[in-house]
């Protein structure tokens, strides 16, 4: 009757409050790191650490376009204090993804977050052996976006199986847009600096 309905409402309120607090905590952590970043690669490990710890993940990686624009390469990795994922991170740093290839390449292709509840049971996951050795199960990858342009991909993994969480998917999508705006601004500023240097050299020659 009314008592049971009251319990359900209280439970939902508590759940929503927990999600709201988690969202604020993550966005504050990300905003703090982004505000202090000097360049989009120099502070990348701190960025992965801030987001990873705030969301409760244990391993993370950042993928960006390298010299070859046709692939994404790993430009930063992170693991939580005391969590040994050495072999997995070495495998991560040694692989490149074309658009549409693997988890990272699919996120690049779709420009949308993608979830894995347990990569150990995914035969199509390219780093499955490393994940098994590191004891990683759940994973999420999301794009770094400016509009619909994907500047890179961030992925996180945990030692626990992670069921699909729509709220968390919304949070990481927002984070990807926040990071994208900052990375885009740095690229514009870097291009402007290079242009000024080139123009000065041409004028003085």
């Amino acid at each position: 009757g009314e008592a049971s309905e009251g319990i359900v409402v209280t439970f939902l309120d508590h759940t929503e409050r927990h999600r709201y607090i988690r969202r604020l905590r993550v966005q504050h952590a990300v905003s703090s790191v982004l505000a202090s970043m000097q360049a989009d690669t120099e502070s990348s490990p701190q960025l992965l650490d801030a987001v990873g710890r705030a969301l409760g993940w244990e391993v993370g990686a950042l993928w960006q376009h390298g010299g070859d624009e046709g692939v994404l390469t790993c430009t930063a990795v992170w693991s939580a204090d005391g969590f040994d994922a050495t072999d997995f991170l070495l495998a991560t740093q040694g692989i490149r993804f074309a658009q549409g290839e693997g988890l990272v390449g699919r996120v690049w292709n779709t420009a949308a977050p993608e979830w894995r509840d347990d990569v150990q049971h995914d035969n199509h996951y390219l780093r499955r052996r490393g994940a098994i050795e590191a004891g990683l199960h759940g994973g999420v990858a999301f794009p770094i976006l400016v509009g619909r342009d994907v500047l890179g991909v961030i992925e996180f993994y945990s030692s626990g199986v992670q069921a699909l969480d729509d709220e968390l998917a919304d949070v990481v999508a927002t984070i990807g847009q926040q990071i994208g705006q900052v990375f885009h601004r740095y690229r514009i500023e870097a291009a402007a600096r290079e242009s000024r240097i080139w123009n000065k050299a041409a004028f003085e020659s």
Side-chain angles (χ1 to χ4, degrees):
E2 294 182 9
S4 62
E5 289 177 4
I7 292 172
V8 172
V9 170
T10 301
F11 173 74
L12 289 175
D13 288 346
H14 174 73
T15 301
E16 289 302 316
R17 187 169 70 246
H18 173 73
R19 288 175 173 173
Y20 177 72
I21 291 171
R22 179 173 64 176
R23 180 189 285 266
L24 286 181
R25 186 175 66 238
V26 173
Q27 290 180 337
H28 174 72
V30 172
S31 297
S32 297
V33 174
L34 291 177
S36 64
M37 285 178 70
Q38 298 301 311
D40 58 358
T41 54
E42 287 179 10
S43 301
S44 296
Q46 295 97 302
L47 180 63
L48 292 173
D49 178 66
V51 180
R53 283 190 294 109
L55 290 176
W57 299 91
E58 285 147 323
V59 171
L62 169 65
W63 301 82
Q64 293 175 281
H65 300 288
D68 181 356
E69 285 294 316
V71 298
L72 289 179
T73 58
C74 180
T75 57
V77 294
W78 164 81
S79 61
D81 291 340
F83 191 86
D84 184 9
T86 304
D87 291 340
F88 178 80
L89 293 179
L90 285 173
T92 295
Q93 290 172 304
I95 196 170
R96 301 191 303 173
F97 288 103
Q99 193 165 9
E101 179 185 25
L103 176 61
V104 171
R106 283 194 301 276
V107 170
W108 176 13
N109 190 51
T110 63
E114 194 164 320
W115 198 273
R116 288 289 176 275
D117 57 355
D118 193 346
V119 294
Q120 291 195 15
H121 293 138
D122 182 354
N123 291 328
H124 299 291
Y125 183 72
L126 300 178
R127 288 163 288 160
R128 182 169 172 252
R129 180 188 296 271
I132 291 172
E133 291 174 354
L136 298 173
H137 290 276
V140 64
F142 58 94
I144 299 170
L145 286 173
V146 174
R148 288 289 296 174
D149 293 334
V150 178
L151 303 184
V153 172
I154 293 179
E155 59 178 353
F156 286 105
Y157 296 92
S158 108
S159 58
V161 175
Q162 296 278 352
L164 175 62
D165 184 331
D166 290 335
E167 173 74 13
L168 189 54
D170 289 342
V171 170
V172 296
T174 301
I175 291 171
Q177 292 169 356
Q178 282 183 276
I179 297 170
Q181 292 298 324
V182 173
F183 279 22
H184 182 58
R185 187 178 76 240
Y186 280 126
R187 290 186 179 193
I188 291 173
E189 291 172 355
R193 281 194 302 271
E194 288 179 16
S195 177
R196 285 195 298 271
I197 292 169
W198 186 86
N199 287 334
K200 182 180 179 183
F203 178 78
E204 292 176 348
S205 61

